Amino acid sequence: MAADEFALHFLAGSATAVFAAGVGRLVAAHPHPHGTRLRVTVTLVDSGEQLGQVDVDETNLWDLGRFADRRAAAGFEPVSQAPRLQLLRGGA
């Protein structure tokens, strides 16, 4: 696996882990009275490799979809930015 391909695979796995953990916490914080009935699975398009999955209910999945729709319509920049390191030089 080439370095670029490895980095992209790692990024996809990390994004999947953040997504699944966040949705899992959302479902736990706001459970649906009938429980979870849907499973969202993240699969790499080019290889078909499954990276992860999370169970979710209809209400929380609806809310996630509405958030994505509003964000797309508003044209917001990504929520998080890549961390920046700044060299600080102190007087000695």
Side-chain angles (χ1 to χ4, degrees):
M1 182 181 292
D4 287 348
E5 186 179 336
F6 177 79
L8 289 173
H9 191 274
F10 179 78
L11 181 60
S14 296
T16 300
V18 168
F19 176 78
V23 172
R25 283 192 298 277
L26 178 66
V27 170
H30 304 284
H32 192 277
H34 300 291
T36 57
R37 300 176 347 127
L38 303 168
R39 178 165 292 145
V40 176
T41 303
V42 179
T43 305
L44 282 177
V45 173
D46 57 351
S47 69
E49 177 186 356
Q50 269 193 7
L51 297 179
Q53 62 187 26
V54 62
D55 293 347
V56 64
D57 58 83
E58 296 89 338
T59 303
N60 282 307
L61 188 61
W62 176 277
D63 286 346
L64 287 169
R66 295 297 300 147
F67 171 78
D69 187 52
R70 285 191 311 271
R71 185 162 175 214
F76 289 123
E77 293 296 317
V79 173
S80 62
Q81 296 180 359
R84 289 189 220 165
L85 299 177
Q86 184 177 9
L87 182 60
L88 301 176
R89 298 177 192 217

